[in-house]
Every structure is written in structure tokens, then in C-alpha cells.
Amino acid sequence: MIQGWIQIALTLLIVVGITPILGKYMARIYQEQRTILDPIFDKLERLIYLLIGVHSKPDMTAWQYAAAIFYSNLVMGCLIFFILINQAWLPLNPTQIGGMTWDTALHTTISFLTNTDQQHYSGETYLSYGSQIWGIGYLMFTSAATGLTVSIAFIRGLTGRPLGNFYVDLIRSITRILLPMSIVGAIFLMIAGVPETLAGPAVFPTLENPSISQAIARGPVAHLEIIKQLGENGGGFFTINSAHPYENPNGFSNLIEIIAMLLIPTSLIYTYGIFANNSKQAWLVYSMVGIIFIIFIIITAIGEYNGNPAINTILGSTQPNLEGKEIRFGWAQSALFIVATTATMCGAINSLIDSFMPNGGFVTFANMFLQIIWGGQGIGTAYLFAYLILTVFATGLMVGRTPEFLGRKIEKREVVLASFLILLVHPIAIMIPAGITLAFPDQLAGISNPGFHGFAQVLYEYTSAAANNGSGLEGLGDSQPSPLAIAMGAKPTITALWWNLSASFSLLAGRFVPITGLLLLADNMSRKPSVPLTTGTLRTDTGLFTSVTAGIILILGALTFFPVLAFGPIGEAFWIAKGL
């Protein structure tokens, strides 16, 4: 037990130690100051600007910035959809995999375009190497970079600066942050044993009968694995994601992947402190989120260490819950990974979330409902400061102080935008499709579990889609037959069609509506005149204000989502406790 807690503590200490280093580096990049990588990437960036026709780099308004995001994403989406549909005749297809069905290709394109990477397919049997590299890998970089651009534009607006230029921010996010870190990370993963090859599956005779051969899937995994974690993507090369020994072979690779998930979301808070010239507030906010994160880890880890009471009664002793776990990781690293992947909206897994005790189920839901612990690639940081704006307004009303944030007044428009983002969009993207699906459980849901857990399966799928997380409780009939099965006569199903289309609605609503709102909120803040501090100003860089913010975050989350949690993991916990 002690060893497991030490592993968790050391991993978190490494992340805290790297935070100010990476945070300062990202601040220099987005303030267009000199960095160590300038001699390498300056010429490359100029060439990219020339190719895409960006001859000048003017600052954009919120609508211009949002339009640039929408247009570029539309072009990228059409390209990747074409690749997935036509992969049968495109290069790098050693196993001769046919094209995806149109609905699976549509869902996959939207899923990776929105940095969600929710997979209604099995990677090694549905995608060619070319699709993995040119389609999935390409979007893993661009979708993560898009999230970073929104976060930095939001931080600029919040601190009274122009929002910047989307194309410049996008390219610098890739060339100066994601690409160099991915190269280093991929090298470490290859050292750890993750394969990187264009060779086809390895074929070996089986031990039981040497006359029968078995094909073992492999491929260009390492470079996709690192951007999967670093960019909060989460989509696995193989079906079982980071539980697969070729994606995550040992404790060293597991450590790299957990740290990669946490690095950018945690460091962005420090980057905000540099932009705002208020490192004290940045560390207070960092500590607030960190404390909630640690509490969630403890709740999850205790549930997994104590195991299932029904099983313990049969065994006559307390045993950790190792169902759905990889023994090489154990209960502690499985708990830490699963909390980190839902806290950062990454969605990768090194164990089955479906097998976790209700403690873990509750925490994974809570992370995706709140979206700020630590939040998705960039977007989570923006959400976090939207909560701060709501807190400023609420506390200002309670104590009779002027609601100001960073010297700018918080008025009706800011409150409406922040409330719309936090209290309306996310629940709508989850509840409406989930309600329709649960109204027709046999025709649409494809639930494989009864009772509370079956309810949680459906709720989790839409929550994961709306939060741009991508993980799942699995067991749903959301996959169309593989291209090989269709070639052999299998027919697409209505259930999988419904899941692909309805989840696509949640994916799009959970990504692009909040992005637009965040940019409008930031643009509005950037245009406000700065007001000098007075005795009537409510200080936001104090421990008291930060504690109130934490309370408001948890209360709003509880008020919004507690009823559905009662029918999911909370109800399941009571069900298990009573031995039903």
C-alpha cells in the first residue's frame, strides 16, 4: 500500500517541478520573445506562412478568430473524412483494410477534430497505417494546437491585450511546443519498448498448435502515443489504448504518459500568471485545482485498494480491485492514470474505467462535468477563469464590493457569457441526447449492463463526448462492423448509426459553442478600460477568494449534475454496499 502512495506522490512532484519551467517557456512563445528553438523553426514557420498565404499577421477580433478556427477545421475535416472513406486504395495499408462506413468515418473525423478522440472502432482492424499517420496523427497535432490558441487568446483578452492571430498561434503551438516535445517523448517511449515501424503484422505459429499461425498487430505507435498523451487526445492506436503492452509496456512508459498528460494544462496556469503579472494568483489557483485533484485521486485510489466488498466477503479478506487492471501497473498507477486522463480531458486509459468501483466512476464523471481539473488542452484553463469571473460577480454582490477582475469591471455581458458557457451548453450537450437514448434502450442504447451501471454507460458516453474527453465505460453497441466484416457480408446497425450521429452532436456542441463564447468573453474584457485598485475593489489574489471560488465550482457542479449522478455511480455504490 505504501509503495503505491509513494508512486503517486513522486509523479505529482515531478509535474509540479516542471510547471514553472514549461509555463515560462510557453509565455515567451506567445509573447513572441526569443526562445532556444528560434534558429530551428523560424525558417520553417516563414515557409508555412508562405504556403498558407498568411502574408501579414494582424490581430483578430473574436469573430475573426472564431471564423478562422471554423474554416480551418472544416477544411481539415473534409480532408480526413476523405482519407478514412478511401483508405483501401491509399498508400501505407499493409493489411489491405477497406474504407470505414460513412457514419463511423464522420464520427471519427469530428471526434479527432474536436480533440476528443472518442473511438467507435478498433484501431488495428479499422484503420490503415496511412489513416493513422495522415489522418489521426495530423488531427492530434492540429486539434491540440487549436485548444492552445483559444486558451492563449482568452488569457490575452483577460489581461487587456488583443486576442492575437489564430494562424500564428496555431503554427507556433505546433512548431514550438507540441512537435519538439513529441519528438523527445517518442524517443523515450521507443527506449521503453513502444514500437515504431511500418512493417505489417508479425505472424508466428501458436504454442498450442504450430501449424496454426497468429498475426500480432504492430505499427508506427510511438510517435502517435506521445502526441496522444501530450495533446490530451487519448485515441489509441490499439483497441485497449494504453493498457496495450505496445502502447504502454512498463512502469517507465506509464510515468512518461501520465506526466505528458498533465504538463501543458498545469503549466498554462503559470503562463497566465506571467501574462497577468500576478504569480501569486496563479499559484493560488494552481493550488486550488491541485488540492481538488489530489482529493479525487485519494477517493479513487481508496476505492480500488479496498476492492469490492462482495468479493472480499467471499475471500474472507480485503483485496484490491484488480478487475480490468494491468498487473504491471496495479491499483495505484491505474487510479492515478484514470483520474489524470479525465481531469485533463485526455481520455487515454491504462485500465478499464468500466471495472472501477463507484468511487472511481463518480470521480471520472465529476472531472468531466467540471472540466477545470485540470481541464482540456487549453480550454480547461479558460473555463477555470470563467469560473473566477462568476465568483467575482457573486462575491461582489454578497459583500457590496465592485465586481472587478484584473482591473476590469465585470458587468452583465460577462456574467451572461460565463453562465452560458458553464451552466447551459455542457448540460444540454449531455442531457438531451442521453434522454432520447434512454427513452429507447432496446432500439438505440445497446446497453450491456442493467440498472445503475447501464444508465451510467449511456450518460458517460455523452459526457465524454461533450467534455472532449473520449474515454468510455464501453459495453455499448456503438461500433459498426469492421471493413473486413462488411466485406464478408455483415450489415451496419441502426444502434451504431444512432451513436455515431448523436455523439457527433455532443462533440460539436461541446467544442465549438464554448470556443465562440470564450473568445467573445475575452474580446469583451480586452476592450474594457483598466480601473485602478481602490478600497472598494475585491481582491482576487487571496486565499479567501480562492477558497470561495472552489466552493462555487463544486456547488455549481453539484446543483447541475447531482441528480444524474444519483442514478449512476452514487446509486451503484449503495447497491454494492447492500450486497444486491
Side-chain angles (χ1 to χ4, degrees):
M1 179 180 181
I2 299 298
Q3 182 182 8
W5 290 111
I6 292 175
Q7 290 174 350
I8 292 173
L10 289 177
T11 304
L12 297 182
L13 286 174
I14 292 172
V15 173
V16 173
I18 297 175
T19 291
I21 300 172
L22 183 56
K24 289 178 183 176
Y25 174 70
M26 290 194 294
R28 293 187 66 84
I29 289 172
Y30 292 120
Q31 290 176 337
E32 299 198 27
Q33 299 173 354
R34 295 291 298 174
T35 69
I36 193 172
L37 295 178
D38 285 357
I40 301 174
F41 290 110
D42 275 348
K43 293 182 180 179
L44 175 61
E45 287 179 1
R46 284 196 291 270
L47 176 61
I48 295 173
Y49 293 142
L50 179 64
L51 291 174
I52 64 176
V54 178
H55 303 294
S56 61
K57 300 176 261 187
D59 292 322
M60 294 179 171
T61 65
W63 285 115
Q64 290 172 333
Y65 207 101
I69 292 175
F70 298 149
Y71 293 147
S72 61
N73 276 252
L74 179 61
V75 172
M76 290 187 289
C78 291
L79 172 63
I80 304 311
F81 181 80
F82 175 83
I83 290 174
L84 297 180
I85 289 289
N86 297 285
Q87 65 179 355
W89 56 268
L90 292 174
L92 293 182
N93 189 4
T95 50
Q96 300 300 305
I97 296 175
M100 283 183 163
T101 61
W102 72 269
D103 56 312
T104 303
L106 178 65
H107 174 268
T108 303
T109 299
I110 293 173
S111 181
F112 282 83
L113 194 68
T114 57
N115 198 227
T116 309
D117 296 22
Q118 188 178 56
Q119 294 174 279
H120 289 174
Y121 65 90
S122 300
E124 60 267 53
T125 58
Y126 281 68
L127 291 178
S128 68
Y129 290 177
S131 293
Q132 294 273 26
I133 296 171
W134 301 320
I136 302 306
Y138 170 67
L139 289 182
M140 282 184 175
F141 277 96
T142 57
S143 65
T146 299
L148 281 171
T149 65
V150 173
S151 71
I152 209 64
F154 186 82
I155 289 173
R156 287 188 186 122
L158 212 58
T159 54
R161 297 172 172 85
L163 301 190
N165 184 286
F166 167 72
Y167 299 107
V168 174
D169 291 338
L170 180 77
I171 292 168
R172 291 179 70 85
S173 296
I174 294 174
T175 60
R176 307 305 178 97
I177 300 173
L178 297 175
L179 184 59
M181 292 176 70
S182 293
I183 292 172
V184 174
I187 292 172
F188 277 112
L189 287 179
M190 285 189 285
I191 293 172
V194 178
E196 180 71 22
T197 178
L198 293 177
V203 180
F204 295 99
T206 62
L207 294 175
E208 294 83 356
N209 187 346
S211 64
I212 299 176
S213 297
Q214 179 180 3
I216 301 175
R218 55 183 175 177
V221 182
H223 82 280
L224 286 171
E225 187 69 19
I226 188 61
I227 188 59
K228 177 188 91 174
Q229 304 296 120
L230 187 66
E232 316 306 345
N233 290 287
F237 190 96
F238 300 101
T239 306
I240 57 174
N241 210 279
S242 290
H244 196 288
Y246 284 177
E247 288 199 31
N248 192 3
N250 49 50
F252 177 58
S253 63
N254 195 66
L255 176 65
I256 292 173
E257 293 185 20
I258 293 175
I259 292 174
M261 273 192 284
L262 293 167
L263 274 185
I264 293 178
T266 55
S267 300
L268 269 173
I269 297 177
Y270 193 91
T271 300
Y272 157 80
I274 295 175
F275 269 84
N277 196 27
N278 193 338
S279 59
K280 178 184 177 182
Q281 185 180 50
W283 279 117
L284 283 170
V285 173
Y286 187 98
S287 300
M288 175 194 72
V289 178
I291 290 170
I292 299 174
F293 181 62
I294 291 170
I295 291 172
F296 280 177
I297 292 172
I298 292 172
I299 292 172
T300 304
I302 288 176
E304 299 311 301
Y305 179 77
N306 290 332
N308 191 322
I311 302 297
N312 292 339
T313 300
I314 296 173
L315 297 176
S317 62
T318 299
Q319 297 291 331
N321 173 33
L322 295 180
E323 178 191 348
K325 311 287 191 307
E326 286 296 310
I327 300 302
R328 64 185 185 274
F329 304 136
W331 63 270
Q333 289 300 305
S334 297
L336 174 59
F337 198 105
I338 228 68
V339 177
T341 196
T342 50
T344 59
M345 304 305 138
C346 177
I349 57 166
N350 74 348
S351 52
L352 289 177
I353 300 177
D354 190 52
S355 297
F356 272 69
M357 298 301 294
N359 305 44
F362 174 85
V363 166
T364 56
F365 270 113
N367 278 331
M368 292 187 292
F369 287 153
L370 297 177
Q371 300 190 86
I372 52 92
I373 309 166
W374 298 89
Q377 188 73 295
I379 304 298
T381 305
Y383 266 122
L384 177 59
F385 288 99
Y387 269 112
L388 284 175
I389 288 174
L390 284 181
T391 306
V392 167
F393 183 76
T395 51
L397 290 178
M398 288 188 289
V399 300
R401 298 286 187 94
T402 303
E404 298 171 4
F405 187 68
L406 299 180
R408 290 166 181 81
K409 289 186 178 182
I410 304 300
E411 297 173 305
K412 177 183 176 181
R413 183 174 172 81
E414 291 76 49
V415 175
V416 169
L417 282 170
S419 301
F420 174 71
L421 290 171
I422 292 169
L423 301 179
L424 290 178
V425 176
H426 195 46
I428 288 172
I430 297 170
M431 302 303 182
I432 291 178
I436 296 172
T437 303
L438 289 167
F440 303 95
D442 297 328
Q443 296 86 349
L444 300 180
I447 300 173
S448 61
N449 282 282
F452 298 109
H453 201 79
F455 177 88
Q457 281 182 305
V458 173
L459 182 67
Y460 195 103
E461 190 76 2
Y462 290 114
T463 303
S464 174
N468 300 142
N469 179 267
S471 61
L473 288 185
E474 305 310 330
L476 297 171
D478 54 16
S479 296
Q480 295 286 19
S482 69
L484 177 60
I486 289 178
M488 296 175 65
K491 300 296 183 182
T493 66
I494 296 297
T495 301
L497 175 65
W498 167 255
W499 276 115
N500 284 329
L501 298 182
S502 62
S504 294
F505 162 77
S506 297
L507 291 166
L508 292 170
R511 175 72 164 182
F512 293 112
V513 176
I515 279 178
T516 305
L518 288 169
L519 290 172
L520 289 173
L521 178 57
D523 195 35
N524 202 52
M525 291 291 290
S526 71
R527 299 175 188 277
K528 288 179 174 289
S530 181
V531 180
L533 293 176
T534 66
T535 54
T537 302
L538 178 67
R539 300 284 303 190
T540 59
D541 56 354
T542 65
L544 177 60
F545 178 82
T546 307
S547 300
V548 173
T549 302
I552 286 180
I553 289 171
L554 296 175
I555 289 171
L556 288 178
L559 289 175
T560 306
F561 293 107
F562 184 82
V564 292
L565 285 173
F567 286 102
I570 295 176
E572 187 177 10
F574 283 103
W575 184 76
I576 291 175
K578 291 185 177 182
L580 299 175

